[in-house]
Amino acid sequence: MTPKTISLEQEVNPWEAQAARFDFAAHKLNLDEGLWKILRYPTREIIVHIPVAMDDGRVEVFTGFRVQHSFARGPGKGGVRYSPDVTLDEVRALASWMTWKCAVVNIPFGGAKGGIIVDPKKLSKHELERLTRRYTAELSEFIGPEKDVPAPDMGTNEQTMAWMMDTYSMHMRQTVNAVVTGKPISIGGSRGRREATGRGVMIVCDEALKKFGLTREQTRVIVQGFGNVGSNSAQLMYDHGYKVVGVDELDGGLYNPNGINIDELMEYKQRNGSLVNFHGAEARPPQSLLTEDCDILVPAATENVITSRNAADIKCKILCEGANGPTTAAADEILTDKKVFVIPDILANAGGVTVSYFEWVQDRQGYFWKESAINEQLEQIMTSAFEDVVRYAETHQVNNRIAAYMLAIDRVAETIKQRGIYA
Ligand code: NAD
């Protein structure tokens, strides 16, 4: 799929990683050349330079992006990332992944993504608020419930969404809560949204276990990243009987072959802000747990943690990608040879956008659902998407990732043909 001689720098470029899978899947689908060209590149890329008055009186200028990859199936949908490492290529890749992800779970959105080059930990709350409001104001004509609906991602949270919603509403001169999802429940957020990505991870792992004839109690899980996706995946899996034997974070990992008590770990992290020195497990160096023996590995931190350099050492049976883009295209080939059952990101972490869809629907209805209704509908969507992908893989004799791309590209291409954009 990808030449084995490419440099690590090329291998870890997220746009190249996305494009390699897209090209391969489009080729397998025998996709019409015109549709190929339409879908290979984003529809719109916006770059903004945002002046912010800092608390000490200085003015700083931050660079932000919003990339809208496709509107074929509905409004753009995708998170906003605050990180010092954000690049336009990364946001482009993430926007395309959102198009494919929404199509895999068959919800009526296109794909978009945003980001600002900033380390949110280095800004005060007031500085972050001013940055967020100015970014939203700059984008106000490009976002909206029928245009493009942002959500939280790395470095942003419910508070960020509340500021975005308020700023957009000020410009529209009315409250428009459906402009963003992942909001606090008190201002139009959805029950179950915070845990939704982790819940989706657990649902697809449950489905994979059936294929392996394993029970939850027999299944050892290692989770990388203990933020929104990682901690919720670990907590829900622990609550449902899985044995979470490892948790890896930036400042160190934790391992206990008998299982870590995730209730205690959550409480510890809440109290200390870190997992370091937690007594219920052995300390391990950061990143080392990726190659530890386990049944399910859930990378839920960031991109490119599984590359051609470490893929051969991965020992899990099931790789469930909570993060976006944790595995490079070159690593895919190695994992396929090793017969690792990969649940690809555009399926595995789609629980978040699915409940974001429910939030958008509830905001537009002005009627809010019970958490049990949300979780039940999430489960139906995730299990049928899992079945669709696995069936596609078997029918077309491709791995699960390529199957997910093929399924998604096929659905988006069909809409474009029906709408007649391609005429
Ligand atoms: P987050 O900021 O809440 O958590 C990320 C965690 O990973 C942090 O605790 C961070 O310290 C840790 N981390 C970062 N790099 C690491 C590394 N190299 N090794 C170990 N730990 C590391 O972010 P999140 O919202 O949980 O998102 C995580 C990933 O999941 C991202 O790829 C994001 O795009 C993806 N995702 C998130 C959602 C969502 O609903 N939040 C939905 C779909 C996909």
Side-chain angles (χ1 to χ4, degrees):
M1 188 190 322
T2 310
K4 291 208 166 86
T5 49
I6 61 169
S7 68
L8 188 61
E9 197 184 322
Q10 274 174 301
E11 184 186 333
V12 301
N13 178 316
W15 175 250
E16 300 289 339
Q18 187 283 140
R21 275 72 168 253
F22 171 79
D23 286 341
F24 189 84
H27 179 71
K28 278 261 168 204
L29 275 175
N30 213 2
L31 187 70
D32 168 274
E33 200 188 326
L35 287 167
W36 192 319
K37 285 188 207 156
I38 293 174
L39 290 173
R40 200 175 194 280
Y41 297 100
T43 299
R44 186 185 281 144
E45 302 181 345
I46 303 155
I47 303 179
V48 290
H49 300 287
I50 315 151
V52 177
M54 307 301 278
D55 292 347
D56 63 5
R58 279 177 311 116
V59 170
E60 278 294 347
V61 176
F62 296 89
T63 299
F65 310 101
R66 186 80 190 163
V67 175
Q68 297 168 328
H69 174 258
S70 170
F71 300 113
R73 288 170 51 91
K77 186 85 196 79
V80 180
R81 178 172 289 194
Y82 287 180
S83 155
D85 308 320
V86 168
T87 63
L88 183 55
D89 262 359
E90 179 186 41
V91 180
R92 270 189 193 127
L94 289 160
S96 314
W97 280 326
M98 286 308 297
T99 302
W100 313 135
K101 193 182 301 183
C102 293
V104 165
V105 284
N106 219 349
I107 58 176
F109 285 126
K113 199 80 179 193
I116 301 181
I117 306 172
V118 60
D119 183 349
K121 294 200 190 89
K122 294 201 173 135
L123 266 58
S124 71
K125 189 169 179 194
H126 287 303
E127 289 166 342
L128 275 175
E129 177 170 354
R130 289 195 286 272
L131 174 73
T132 302
R133 288 187 178 278
R134 191 76 187 217
Y135 173 69
T136 310
E138 292 291 344
L139 294 180
S140 60
E141 63 196 286
F142 301 106
I143 59 173
E146 311 296 336
K147 294 182 179 177
D148 177 6
V149 185
D153 190 71
M154 282 167 70
T156 57
N157 54 28
E158 292 178 3
Q159 176 62 76
T160 323
M161 293 305 112
W163 291 327
M164 288 191 80
M165 188 278 255
D166 185 62
T167 309
Y168 183 81
S169 298
M170 284 163 69
H171 284 262
M172 295 301 127
R173 316 215 49 82
Q174 60 185 7
T175 296
V176 187
N177 53 15
V179 64
V180 289
T181 59
K183 299 178 294 292
I185 289 184
S186 55
I187 56 166
S190 177
R191 289 182 178 84
R193 173 63 186 89
R194 195 179 295 161
E195 306 81 19
T197 310
R199 187 174 293 280
V201 163
M202 182 181 71
I203 294 167
V204 290
C205 286
D206 284 349
E207 292 304 302
L209 289 196
K210 291 181 196 157
K211 295 197 96 32
F212 281 84
L214 285 170
T215 64
R216 288 167 170 168
E217 289 69 22
Q218 290 169 310
T219 305
R220 296 158 306 148
V221 181
I222 292 180
V223 178
Q224 184 194 39
F226 207 65
N228 175 298
V229 181
S231 69
N232 281 301
S233 301
Q235 179 75 69
L236 283 161
M237 291 175 102
Y238 173 77
D239 291 345
H240 288 83
Y242 285 87
K243 200 192 271 188
V244 181
V245 294
V247 174
D248 183 47
E249 251 298 333
L250 269 180
D251 49 6
L254 296 170
Y255 183 73
N256 181 341
N258 301 316
I260 300 172
N261 182 324
I262 301 295
D263 290 336
E264 286 176 10
L265 187 62
M266 289 290 261
E267 202 196 314
Y268 185 87
K269 165 117 191 265
Q270 188 80 24
R271 244 183 307 120
N272 300 285
S274 153
L275 310 183
V276 175
N277 293 331
F278 175 69
H279 288 303
E282 301 162 24
R284 288 289 175 90
Q287 307 285 331
S288 62
L289 287 175
L290 286 175
T291 51
E292 184 62 59
D293 190 23
C294 65
D295 300 299
I296 301 185
L297 177 64
V298 182
T302 188
E303 286 113 65
N304 299 322
V305 293
I306 303 172
T307 68
S308 56
R309 307 295 194 269
N310 63 355
D313 301 324
I314 298 284
K315 295 181 191 70
C316 62
K317 294 187 183 71
I318 298 165
L319 176 68
C320 182
E321 296 182 335
N324 286 308
T327 310
T328 65
D332 268 348
E333 292 185 40
I334 301 167
L335 296 178
T336 303
D337 289 347
K338 284 170 66 83
K339 305 218 167 2
V340 175
F341 186 86
V342 177
I343 311 177
D345 48 6
I346 56 174
L347 168 64
N349 69 37
V353 75
T354 302
V355 176
S356 275
Y357 164 52
F358 300 158
E359 180 173 335
W360 178 78
V361 170
Q362 292 171 81
D363 288 340
R364 285 155 39 112
Q365 284 182 325
Y367 178 75
F368 291 87
W369 313 346
K370 285 190 296 200
E371 186 161 351
S372 55
I374 307 258
N375 292 344
E376 202 177 298
Q377 298 204 40
L378 173 65
E379 181 147 5
Q380 276 170 18
I381 289 183
M382 293 301 297
T383 48
S384 77
F386 180 91
E387 281 163 20
D388 287 348
V389 169
V390 170
R391 200 175 324 114
Y392 225 91
E394 284 163 6
T395 311
H396 295 271
Q397 291 294 301
V398 290
N399 65 37
N400 289 341
R401 188 187 313 284
I402 295 303
Y405 271 76
M406 288 173 74
L407 175 68
I409 294 169
D410 208 18
R411 284 182 177 159
V412 180
E414 181 60 23
T415 324
I416 296 177
K417 280 193 268 181
Q418 281 169 337
R419 288 179 61 155
I421 297 168
Y422 176 65

